Amino acid sequence: MRTELYIDGRWVKPAQGRTFAVINPATEEVIHHAPAATAEDVDAAVKAARRAFDKDGWPKLSGSQRAVYLRAIANGIRARQAEIARLEVIDNGKPFPEADWDIADAAGCFDFYADLAVQLDNNPEEPIALADGRFTSKAVKEPLGVAGAIIPWNYPLLMAAWKVAPALAAGCTIVLKPAELTSLTALELGAIAEEAKLPPGVLNIVTGAGSVAGQAIIDHPGIDKLAFTGSGPVGSKIMAAAARDIKRVSLELGGKSPFVVFDDADIGEAVEWIMFGIFWNQGQVCSATSRVLVQEGIYDRLLARLVEEAGKIKIGNGLDEGVLLGPLVSKRQYEQVVAAIEAGRSAGATVACGGKPPEGVDKGYYLEPTILTDVPLDSDAWREEIFGPVVCVRPFSTEEEAIALANDSRFGLAAAVMSKDDVRAERVAAAFRAGIVWINCSQPTFTEAPWGGYKESGIGRELGRWGLENYLETKQITKYVSEDPWGWYVKPVVRA
Ligand code: TAP
């Protein structure tokens, strides 16, 4: 476990020598002290990233040359996959197989953007047809500069990959700040970049508090673009800072994503997708299936089956064999989720199962899978992101009602529909006001496809070619090709 920051290709002690405790959420033990960056460290990181961008030539490399580094990072991650997955488990709490999956996905993300970097070489410019034949014009894409990336704790290395890989592929340099709760694997990414011989300053990793290191990133004049994933209130702060300085900004925020199940759906399959959608990663997923709408004809049977299956989930330390639900990431998160359940109960909701720690557990931030019914439509439990293993289930009668309930949210990240009637499923998918829509499934995420939200769920898209666009500027280059040097506008009077 690293004790230093990764700045300008070197491992450095934080300027003020501060550290913060890293706690294993399964045992509540302090397992490490990580370096706490302050504004001085962020300044050094931004200066290094600026120099790597402005002088050292990272953006001048061809996409194919940058791809070599990205592929080396992907291979470096894979070479240490099990070890990094284990770090993720003791830092975040998630079950090992999930962490292992995330790490493989992170490596895949670097490979994917290596391919897109190569494609940038193949499509260097786009000709523009002008109505005025005296000019030719073309559009070219260029890296936009130094990016500042601030990421959350739910998918620590994967969220780092979603930002670092496209930024580097585009030719940007980057300063990355992971969440204080989960910094261990981001620092390992620094070590992997070092082994991949990534030029100094291209990737800089500063661990530390959001209010200190994060704030220093968003306020730094040397940063051209802010890329953020996390809560709405912090996203709003970041957008305000970006507005003040006219920085580019992309935000991936929360959700309260609906899953509409029609009564022609297979109940067993629906329950599988719901469980995956809300209990994977302890429900700490921005796109989590947190509002389930079930057509009246199958409501009772589906609910009974869901409660039964939720009761079978093995809860425990993510390193133990067969565990499907680990602890929540922190004491604070645990308390917030329990408070949200209690607020739901006070508002009139019924706790069909869960809502408490498992029997006989006295250490770790564990919470049973929780199902709420009779949740009032105006309650926070129905409307706000809980970010824990808590799902609200509600019946509906008609398609119109389901669509209206699904869309009645200030969020619009994801939505899902399940029906054997393909025409209806497509119709409902089209009616959802959400950036990610699943038919007959929930949560599958692909590096190739755009990811991001409508409404208060964010601005911009990550992943796929859209993720690369986040780190590119578009430049118009127009040439005057007429034989008549004064043929445009009117002849200048002085020369006439
Ligand atoms: P946030 O506070 O939004 O944390 C996300 C990132 O922003 C972290 O790296 C955090 O740093 C940083 N940050 C915090 N304040 C900042 C500031 N003033 N300037 C710059 N960066 C700042 O989320 P949280 O407190 O961890 O979780 C709170 C709630 O947010 C959760 O309960 C959940 O509802 C939601 N959440 C959503 C997501 C997604 S993916 N949508 C992810 C995480 C949380 P530190 O954590 O190191 O302070």
PDB file of all heavy atoms in Angstrom, residues 110-137:
ATOM      1  N   PHE A 110      -8.904   0.569 -20.765  1.00  0.00           N
ATOM      2  CA  PHE A 110      -7.658   1.104 -21.337  1.00  0.00           C
ATOM      3  C   PHE A 110      -7.416   0.539 -22.741  1.00  0.00           C
ATOM      4  O   PHE A 110      -6.990   1.264 -23.646  1.00  0.00           O
ATOM      5  CB  PHE A 110      -6.472   0.820 -20.403  1.00  0.00           C
ATOM      6  CG  PHE A 110      -6.364   1.822 -19.279  1.00  0.00           C
ATOM      7  CD1 PHE A 110      -6.941   1.574 -18.042  1.00  0.00           C
ATOM      8  CD2 PHE A 110      -5.721   3.036 -19.479  1.00  0.00           C
ATOM      9  CE1 PHE A 110      -6.882   2.510 -17.024  1.00  0.00           C
ATOM     10  CE2 PHE A 110      -5.651   3.980 -18.460  1.00  0.00           C
ATOM     11  CZ  PHE A 110      -6.235   3.712 -17.232  1.00  0.00           C
ATOM     12  N   ASP A 111      -7.728  -0.741 -22.937  1.00  0.00           N
ATOM     13  CA  ASP A 111      -7.566  -1.328 -24.277  1.00  0.00           C
ATOM     14  C   ASP A 111      -8.513  -0.669 -25.272  1.00  0.00           C
ATOM     15  O   ASP A 111      -8.136  -0.380 -26.406  1.00  0.00           O
ATOM     16  CB  ASP A 111      -7.852  -2.842 -24.227  1.00  0.00           C
ATOM     17  CG  ASP A 111      -6.615  -3.632 -23.856  1.00  0.00           C
ATOM     18  OD1 ASP A 111      -5.484  -3.122 -24.042  1.00  0.00           O
ATOM     19  OD2 ASP A 111      -6.771  -4.761 -23.357  1.00  0.00           O
ATOM     20  N   PHE A 112      -9.756  -0.466 -24.823  1.00  0.00           N
ATOM     21  CA  PHE A 112     -10.756   0.126 -25.720  1.00  0.00           C
ATOM     22  C   PHE A 112     -10.302   1.520 -26.186  1.00  0.00           C
ATOM     23  O   PHE A 112     -10.347   1.841 -27.379  1.00  0.00           O
ATOM     24  CB  PHE A 112     -12.108   0.216 -24.993  1.00  0.00           C
ATOM     25  CG  PHE A 112     -13.165   0.925 -25.787  1.00  0.00           C
ATOM     26  CD1 PHE A 112     -13.839   0.272 -26.809  1.00  0.00           C
ATOM     27  CD2 PHE A 112     -13.472   2.255 -25.534  1.00  0.00           C
ATOM     28  CE1 PHE A 112     -14.809   0.933 -27.564  1.00  0.00           C
ATOM     29  CE2 PHE A 112     -14.439   2.925 -26.275  1.00  0.00           C
ATOM     30  CZ  PHE A 112     -15.105   2.259 -27.295  1.00  0.00           C
ATOM     31  N   TYR A 113      -9.835   2.325 -25.236  1.00  0.00           N
ATOM     32  CA  TYR A 113      -9.439   3.687 -25.628  1.00  0.00           C
ATOM     33  C   TYR A 113      -8.103   3.696 -26.376  1.00  0.00           C
ATOM     34  O   TYR A 113      -7.824   4.637 -27.128  1.00  0.00           O
ATOM     35  CB  TYR A 113      -9.468   4.638 -24.427  1.00  0.00           C
ATOM     36  CG  TYR A 113     -10.904   5.058 -24.158  1.00  0.00           C
ATOM     37  CD1 TYR A 113     -11.617   4.533 -23.090  1.00  0.00           C
ATOM     38  CD2 TYR A 113     -11.554   5.921 -25.031  1.00  0.00           C
ATOM     39  CE1 TYR A 113     -12.949   4.871 -22.878  1.00  0.00           C
ATOM     40  CE2 TYR A 113     -12.881   6.265 -24.842  1.00  0.00           C
ATOM     41  CZ  TYR A 113     -13.572   5.744 -23.760  1.00  0.00           C
ATOM     42  OH  TYR A 113     -14.891   6.067 -23.592  1.00  0.00           O
ATOM     43  N   ALA A 114      -7.307   2.640 -26.223  1.00  0.00           N
ATOM     44  CA  ALA A 114      -6.111   2.513 -27.069  1.00  0.00           C
ATOM     45  C   ALA A 114      -6.563   2.395 -28.524  1.00  0.00           C
ATOM     46  O   ALA A 114      -6.019   3.054 -29.423  1.00  0.00           O
ATOM     47  CB  ALA A 114      -5.292   1.298 -26.645  1.00  0.00           C
ATOM     48  N   ASP A 115      -7.594   1.584 -28.751  1.00  0.00           N
ATOM     49  CA  ASP A 115      -8.108   1.426 -30.126  1.00  0.00           C
ATOM     50  C   ASP A 115      -8.640   2.759 -30.657  1.00  0.00           C
ATOM     51  O   ASP A 115      -8.415   3.108 -31.812  1.00  0.00           O
ATOM     52  CB  ASP A 115      -9.238   0.386 -30.164  1.00  0.00           C
ATOM     53  CG  ASP A 115      -8.726  -1.039 -29.952  1.00  0.00           C
ATOM     54  OD1 ASP A 115      -7.489  -1.237 -30.028  1.00  0.00           O
ATOM     55  OD2 ASP A 115      -9.550  -1.933 -29.701  1.00  0.00           O
ATOM     56  N   LEU A 116      -9.343   3.499 -29.806  1.00  0.00           N
ATOM     57  CA  LEU A 116      -9.886   4.791 -30.278  1.00  0.00           C
ATOM     58  C   LEU A 116      -8.771   5.797 -30.540  1.00  0.00           C
ATOM     59  O   LEU A 116      -8.887   6.639 -31.431  1.00  0.00           O
ATOM     60  CB  LEU A 116     -10.890   5.358 -29.270  1.00  0.00           C
ATOM     61  CG  LEU A 116     -12.242   4.659 -29.149  1.00  0.00           C
ATOM     62  CD1 LEU A 116     -13.298   5.626 -28.600  1.00  0.00           C
ATOM     63  CD2 LEU A 116     -12.751   4.082 -30.452  1.00  0.00           C
ATOM     64  N   ALA A 117      -7.695   5.705 -29.767  1.00  0.00           N
ATOM     65  CA  ALA A 117      -6.557   6.603 -30.012  1.00  0.00           C
ATOM     66  C   ALA A 117      -5.991   6.329 -31.404  1.00  0.00           C
ATOM     67  O   ALA A 117      -5.679   7.262 -32.159  1.00  0.00           O
ATOM     68  CB  ALA A 117      -5.487   6.399 -28.941  1.00  0.00           C
ATOM     69  N   VAL A 118      -5.896   5.057 -31.770  1.00  0.00           N
ATOM     70  CA  VAL A 118      -5.399   4.700 -33.109  1.00  0.00           C
ATOM     71  C   VAL A 118      -6.343   5.257 -34.172  1.00  0.00           C
ATOM     72  O   VAL A 118      -5.910   5.799 -35.193  1.00  0.00           O
ATOM     73  CB  VAL A 118      -5.255   3.163 -33.237  1.00  0.00           C
ATOM     74  CG1 VAL A 118      -4.891   2.771 -34.667  1.00  0.00           C
ATOM     75  CG2 VAL A 118      -4.207   2.642 -32.256  1.00  0.00           C
ATOM     76  N   GLN A 119      -7.647   5.148 -33.899  1.00  0.00           N
ATOM     77  CA  GLN A 119      -8.621   5.657 -34.885  1.00  0.00           C
ATOM     78  C   GLN A 119      -8.499   7.166 -35.094  1.00  0.00           C
ATOM     79  O   GLN A 119      -8.822   7.670 -36.163  1.00  0.00           O
ATOM     80  CB  GLN A 119     -10.042   5.332 -34.437  1.00  0.00           C
ATOM     81  CG  GLN A 119     -10.422   3.883 -34.693  1.00  0.00           C
ATOM     82  CD  GLN A 119     -11.825   3.584 -34.179  1.00  0.00           C
ATOM     83  OE1 GLN A 119     -12.673   4.460 -34.112  1.00  0.00           O
ATOM     84  NE2 GLN A 119     -12.044   2.339 -33.793  1.00  0.00           N
ATOM     85  N   LEU A 120      -8.050   7.887 -34.055  1.00  0.00           N
ATOM     86  CA  LEU A 120      -7.858   9.341 -34.221  1.00  0.00           C
ATOM     87  C   LEU A 120      -6.847   9.612 -35.340  1.00  0.00           C
ATOM     88  O   LEU A 120      -6.983  10.561 -36.101  1.00  0.00           O
ATOM     89  CB  LEU A 120      -7.351   9.973 -32.919  1.00  0.00           C
ATOM     90  CG  LEU A 120      -8.358  10.253 -31.819  1.00  0.00           C
ATOM     91  CD1 LEU A 120      -7.647  10.810 -30.597  1.00  0.00           C
ATOM     92  CD2 LEU A 120      -9.424  11.239 -32.287  1.00  0.00           C
ATOM     93  N   ASP A 121      -5.826   8.744 -35.450  1.00  0.00           N
ATOM     94  CA  ASP A 121      -4.835   8.904 -36.531  1.00  0.00           C
ATOM     95  C   ASP A 121      -5.466   8.648 -37.894  1.00  0.00           C
ATOM     96  O   ASP A 121      -5.104   9.268 -38.890  1.00  0.00           O
ATOM     97  CB  ASP A 121      -3.691   7.889 -36.371  1.00  0.00           C
ATOM     98  CG  ASP A 121      -2.832   8.192 -35.165  1.00  0.00           C
ATOM     99  OD1 ASP A 121      -2.960   9.293 -34.609  1.00  0.00           O
ATOM    100  OD2 ASP A 121      -2.031   7.312 -34.772  1.00  0.00           O
ATOM    101  N   ASN A 122      -6.412   7.701 -37.914  1.00  0.00           N
ATOM    102  CA  ASN A 122      -7.009   7.327 -39.203  1.00  0.00           C
ATOM    103  C   ASN A 122      -8.021   8.351 -39.695  1.00  0.00           C
ATOM    104  O   ASN A 122      -8.314   8.414 -40.877  1.00  0.00           O
ATOM    105  CB  ASN A 122      -7.692   5.955 -39.087  1.00  0.00           C
ATOM    106  CG  ASN A 122      -6.682   4.877 -38.740  1.00  0.00           C
ATOM    107  OD1 ASN A 122      -5.493   5.045 -39.013  1.00  0.00           O
ATOM    108  ND2 ASN A 122      -7.128   3.804 -38.122  1.00  0.00           N
ATOM    109  N   ASN A 123      -8.589   9.113 -38.784  1.00  0.00           N
ATOM    110  CA  ASN A 123      -9.578  10.129 -39.178  1.00  0.00           C
ATOM    111  C   ASN A 123      -9.133  11.492 -38.666  1.00  0.00           C
ATOM    112  O   ASN A 123      -9.774  12.080 -37.804  1.00  0.00           O
ATOM    113  CB  ASN A 123     -10.954   9.810 -38.567  1.00  0.00           C
ATOM    114  CG  ASN A 123     -11.387   8.412 -38.914  1.00  0.00           C
ATOM    115  OD1 ASN A 123     -11.494   8.068 -40.069  1.00  0.00           O
ATOM    116  ND2 ASN A 123     -11.611   7.603 -37.898  1.00  0.00           N
ATOM    117  N   PRO A 124      -7.982  12.011 -39.175  1.00  0.00           N
ATOM    118  CA  PRO A 124      -7.443  13.233 -38.574  1.00  0.00           C
ATOM    119  C   PRO A 124      -8.296  14.471 -38.837  1.00  0.00           C
ATOM    120  O   PRO A 124      -8.241  15.418 -38.080  1.00  0.00           O
ATOM    121  CB  PRO A 124      -6.060  13.365 -39.206  1.00  0.00           C
ATOM    122  CG  PRO A 124      -6.133  12.600 -40.476  1.00  0.00           C
ATOM    123  CD  PRO A 124      -7.161  11.528 -40.291  1.00  0.00           C
ATOM    124  N   GLU A 125      -9.082  14.451 -39.938  1.00  0.00           N
ATOM    125  CA  GLU A 125      -9.845  15.666 -40.241  1.00  0.00           C
ATOM    126  C   GLU A 125     -11.132  15.313 -40.963  1.00  0.00           C
ATOM    127  O   GLU A 125     -11.245  14.278 -41.620  1.00  0.00           O
ATOM    128  CB  GLU A 125      -9.004  16.620 -41.074  1.00  0.00           C
ATOM    129  CG  GLU A 125      -8.466  15.981 -42.349  1.00  0.00           C
ATOM    130  CD  GLU A 125      -7.429  16.853 -43.017  1.00  0.00           C
ATOM    131  OE1 GLU A 125      -6.501  17.307 -42.334  1.00  0.00           O
ATOM    132  OE2 GLU A 125      -7.556  17.088 -44.237  1.00  0.00           O
ATOM    133  N   GLU A 126     -12.113  16.208 -40.831  1.00  0.00           N
ATOM    134  CA  GLU A 126     -13.402  15.998 -41.488  1.00  0.00           C
ATOM    135  C   GLU A 126     -13.619  17.176 -42.434  1.00  0.00           C
ATOM    136  O   GLU A 126     -13.698  18.328 -41.980  1.00  0.00           O
ATOM    137  CB  GLU A 126     -14.487  15.991 -40.401  1.00  0.00           C
ATOM    138  CG  GLU A 126     -15.872  15.709 -40.908  1.00  0.00           C
ATOM    139  CD  GLU A 126     -16.899  15.901 -39.785  1.00  0.00           C
ATOM    140  OE1 GLU A 126     -16.546  15.702 -38.598  1.00  0.00           O
ATOM    141  OE2 GLU A 126     -18.027  16.281 -40.098  1.00  0.00           O
ATOM    142  N   PRO A 127     -13.694  16.926 -43.755  1.00  0.00           N
ATOM    143  CA  PRO A 127     -13.919  18.041 -44.680  1.00  0.00           C
ATOM    144  C   PRO A 127     -15.301  18.642 -44.474  1.00  0.00           C
ATOM    145  O   PRO A 127     -16.251  17.920 -44.168  1.00  0.00           O
ATOM    146  CB  PRO A 127     -13.807  17.393 -46.065  1.00  0.00           C
ATOM    147  CG  PRO A 127     -13.584  15.944 -45.853  1.00  0.00           C
ATOM    148  CD  PRO A 127     -13.649  15.624 -44.410  1.00  0.00           C
ATOM    149  N   ILE A 128     -15.398  19.957 -44.614  1.00  0.00           N
ATOM    150  CA  ILE A 128     -16.691  20.624 -44.450  1.00  0.00           C
ATOM    151  C   ILE A 128     -17.066  21.237 -45.807  1.00  0.00           C
ATOM    152  O   ILE A 128     -16.275  21.997 -46.380  1.00  0.00           O
ATOM    153  CB  ILE A 128     -16.610  21.738 -43.384  1.00  0.00           C
ATOM    154  CG1 ILE A 128     -16.213  21.130 -42.040  1.00  0.00           C
ATOM    155  CG2 ILE A 128     -17.924  22.501 -43.268  1.00  0.00           C
ATOM    156  CD1 ILE A 128     -15.800  22.145 -41.014  1.00  0.00           C
ATOM    157  N   ALA A 129     -18.248  20.896 -46.302  1.00  0.00           N
ATOM    158  CA  ALA A 129     -18.696  21.442 -47.589  1.00  0.00           C
ATOM    159  C   ALA A 129     -19.252  22.838 -47.343  1.00  0.00           C
ATOM    160  O   ALA A 129     -20.243  23.001 -46.633  1.00  0.00           O
ATOM    161  CB  ALA A 129     -19.768  20.536 -48.180  1.00  0.00           C
ATOM    162  N   LEU A 130     -18.579  23.863 -47.928  1.00  0.00           N
ATOM    163  CA  LEU A 130     -19.059  25.238 -47.765  1.00  0.00           C
ATOM    164  C   LEU A 130     -19.859  25.655 -49.002  1.00  0.00           C
ATOM    165  O   LEU A 130     -19.528  25.255 -50.126  1.00  0.00           O
ATOM    166  CB  LEU A 130     -17.871  26.197 -47.603  1.00  0.00           C
ATOM    167  CG  LEU A 130     -16.966  25.993 -46.398  1.00  0.00           C
ATOM    168  CD1 LEU A 130     -15.827  27.020 -46.447  1.00  0.00           C
ATOM    169  CD2 LEU A 130     -17.736  26.125 -45.103  1.00  0.00           C
ATOM    170  N   ALA A 131     -20.868  26.470 -48.781  1.00  0.00           N
ATOM    171  CA  ALA A 131     -21.643  26.978 -49.912  1.00  0.00           C
ATOM    172  C   ALA A 131     -20.790  27.935 -50.753  1.00  0.00           C
ATOM    173  O   ALA A 131     -20.963  28.049 -51.960  1.00  0.00           O
ATOM    174  CB  ALA A 131     -22.891  27.693 -49.400  1.00  0.00           C
ATOM    175  N   ASP A 132     -19.869  28.620 -50.145  1.00  0.00           N
ATOM    176  CA  ASP A 132     -19.003  29.585 -50.827  1.00  0.00           C
ATOM    177  C   ASP A 132     -17.751  28.865 -51.333  1.00  0.00           C
ATOM    178  O   ASP A 132     -16.865  28.490 -50.543  1.00  0.00           O
ATOM    179  CB  ASP A 132     -18.625  30.693 -49.836  1.00  0.00           C
ATOM    180  CG  ASP A 132     -17.889  31.835 -50.508  1.00  0.00           C
ATOM    181  OD1 ASP A 132     -17.211  31.592 -51.536  1.00  0.00           O
ATOM    182  OD2 ASP A 132     -17.992  32.970 -50.003  1.00  0.00           O
ATOM    183  N   GLY A 133     -17.662  28.679 -52.666  1.00  0.00           N
ATOM    184  CA  GLY A 133     -16.593  27.886 -53.244  1.00  0.00           C
ATOM    185  C   GLY A 133     -15.224  28.549 -53.211  1.00  0.00           C
ATOM    186  O   GLY A 133     -14.228  27.940 -53.588  1.00  0.00           O
ATOM    187  N   ARG A 134     -15.138  29.787 -52.751  1.00  0.00           N
ATOM    188  CA  ARG A 134     -13.828  30.446 -52.688  1.00  0.00           C
ATOM    189  C   ARG A 134     -13.017  30.009 -51.468  1.00  0.00           C
ATOM    190  O   ARG A 134     -11.888  30.436 -51.272  1.00  0.00           O
ATOM    191  CB  ARG A 134     -14.021  31.962 -52.667  1.00  0.00           C
ATOM    192  CG  ARG A 134     -14.528  32.509 -53.997  1.00  0.00           C
ATOM    193  CD  ARG A 134     -15.018  33.910 -53.873  1.00  0.00           C
ATOM    194  NE  ARG A 134     -16.144  34.002 -52.961  1.00  0.00           N
ATOM    195  CZ  ARG A 134     -16.715  35.142 -52.588  1.00  0.00           C
ATOM    196  NH1 ARG A 134     -16.256  36.279 -53.047  1.00  0.00           N
ATOM    197  NH2 ARG A 134     -17.736  35.134 -51.766  1.00  0.00           N
ATOM    198  N   PHE A 135     -13.648  29.176 -50.639  1.00  0.00           N
ATOM    199  CA  PHE A 135     -12.972  28.709 -49.422  1.00  0.00           C
ATOM    200  C   PHE A 135     -13.068  27.194 -49.344  1.00  0.00           C
ATOM    201  O   PHE A 135     -14.037  26.602 -49.816  1.00  0.00           O
ATOM    202  CB  PHE A 135     -13.665  29.265 -48.175  1.00  0.00           C
ATOM    203  CG  PHE A 135     -13.631  30.765 -48.068  1.00  0.00           C
ATOM    204  CD1 PHE A 135     -14.610  31.539 -48.694  1.00  0.00           C
ATOM    205  CD2 PHE A 135     -12.638  31.400 -47.348  1.00  0.00           C
ATOM    206  CE1 PHE A 135     -14.591  32.916 -48.592  1.00  0.00           C
ATOM    207  CE2 PHE A 135     -12.617  32.783 -47.240  1.00  0.00           C
ATOM    208  CZ  PHE A 135     -13.585  33.553 -47.868  1.00  0.00           C
ATOM    209  N   THR A 136     -12.068  26.568 -48.734  1.00  0.00           N
ATOM    210  CA  THR A 136     -12.216  25.170 -48.312  1.00  0.00           C
ATOM    211  C   THR A 136     -12.144  25.159 -46.799  1.00  0.00           C
ATOM    212  O   THR A 136     -11.538  26.057 -46.180  1.00  0.00           O
ATOM    213  CB  THR A 136     -11.105  24.265 -48.872  1.00  0.00           C
ATOM    214  OG1 THR A 136      -9.854  24.750 -48.382  1.00  0.00           O
ATOM    215  CG2 THR A 136     -11.118  24.249 -50.389  1.00  0.00           C
ATOM    216  N   SER A 137     -12.747  24.164 -46.217  1.00  0.00           N
ATOM    217  CA  SER A 137     -12.747  24.124 -44.751  1.00  0.00           C
ATOM    218  C   SER A 137     -12.704  22.687 -44.257  1.00  0.00           C
ATOM    219  O   SER A 137     -13.158  21.761 -44.939  1.00  0.00           O
ATOM    220  CB  SER A 137     -14.012  24.818 -44.212  1.00  0.00           C
ATOM    221  OG  SER A 137     -13.904  24.983 -42.826  1.00  0.00           O
TER     222      SER A 137
END
